[in-house]
Amino acid sequence: FSSIHMSRSLSTTIRKARSLLRQRRGLSAGAGADAAPWQSAQPRGYVACKVIMHWGEMDSYSHLNNCVHFRYFESARIEHFRRLKNHLSESSFKSFMYAKGTGPILASTSCKYIRPVMFPDTLVVTSKLLALPEVGDSRFTQDYTLWSFEQERVVAKGEGTIVMFDYNNNVRGEVSEELRAALRAVDESEADVVTL
């Protein structure tokens, strides 16, 4: 056998072993291997993004660098905002997303690192509102969860506080009735996964 053939055989064996392990743990493809483990633990209304860890995202200890978690949270946050497009007028959505009037600005964010993530891995990061803001509120908070396919568990959790900001006048803004209704619509919707 050539070294290329042996390498392919080893890769095939590893894939089969991982598939068998997932089947034994009740995660077979027919049971929703890509979604069921983390989806069942989350309520309706969350936004999920599937991300593939890149080699260059590791630190010198061969773990996912701690700042990358925040990039993943950002991806989920922006996807959460993009879901508002179907529930806002075109001008309101552009104002919200592109700082042309009142829109969001990240006031604070945090991460609780639960387990180290090692290369290679595929992860799912979710975003969900902690509570629906009232009309006139100036802020709302998103809850983030990072789930590892390799470890089959949550590896990090976080939060982001979003403040509404009037970019035209450089002052704090407010959640409008239209935005609150759009946030509620996303919060009540069925979850689906976007691959980044």
Side-chain angles (χ1 to χ4, degrees):
F1 289 107
S2 70
S3 61
I4 293 173
H5 180 6
M6 288 175 64
S7 177
R8 286 183 186 154
S9 295
L10 180 60
S11 295
T12 301
T13 302
I14 290 170
R15 271 196 308 275
K16 286 180 180 177
R18 284 183 176 160
S19 176
L20 181 60
L21 181 63
R22 285 190 176 102
Q23 287 175 0
R24 287 184 179 164
R25 292 180 179 167
L27 303 173
S28 65
D34 285 356
W38 51 268
Q39 208 171 34
S40 62
Q42 297 283 346
R44 293 171 61 91
Y46 69 94
V47 174
C49 302
K50 187 175 178 179
V51 292
I52 296 171
M53 181 183 173
H54 297 285
W55 178 264
E57 293 175 329
M58 286 190 297
D59 60 19
S60 59
Y61 301 104
S62 301
H63 303 146
L64 181 67
N65 189 298
N66 60 6
C67 68
V68 177
H69 294 69
F70 291 100
R71 288 189 206 141
Y72 291 166
F73 293 167
E74 177 185 53
S75 295
R77 178 170 56 254
I78 298 305
E79 184 58 30
H80 201 150
F81 292 163
R82 290 184 65 224
R83 301 288 172 96
L84 299 171
K85 185 175 186 175
N86 295 330
H87 309 286
L88 291 172
S89 68
E90 185 177 344
S91 63
S92 293
F93 180 72
K94 284 183 179 178
S95 171
F96 183 83
M97 285 297 288
Y98 304 110
K100 306 215 181 285
T102 300
I105 191 165
L106 183 66
S108 66
T109 187
S110 63
C111 180
K112 178 180 180 185
Y113 303 97
I114 299 169
R115 294 181 60 84
V117 179
M118 314 283 270
F119 182 87
D121 205 342
T122 299
L123 304 136
V124 171
V125 58
T126 65
S127 170
K128 175 150 180 46
L129 284 179
L130 280 181
L132 191 64
E134 296 297 326
V135 173
D137 283 353
S138 61
R139 65 183 57 219
F140 55 91
T141 303
Q142 292 175 320
D143 179 63
Y144 309 120
T145 301
L146 189 62
W147 197 89
S148 162
F149 277 88
E150 283 297 315
Q151 299 181 49
E152 299 178 356
R153 66 178 59 206
V154 172
V155 292
K157 289 180 153 292
E159 285 187 2
T161 300
I162 314 301
V163 171
M164 297 306 295
F165 191 76
D166 181 343
Y167 289 94
N168 293 335
N169 299 303
N170 286 326
V171 295
R172 186 176 295 207
E174 295 181 348
V175 174
S176 66
E177 179 58 49
E178 183 185 17
L179 176 59
R180 185 179 193 278
L183 288 167
R184 181 192 297 124
V186 171
D187 197 50
E188 293 173 351
S189 65
E190 290 287 337
D192 62 341
V193 183
V194 173
T195 301
L196 303 176

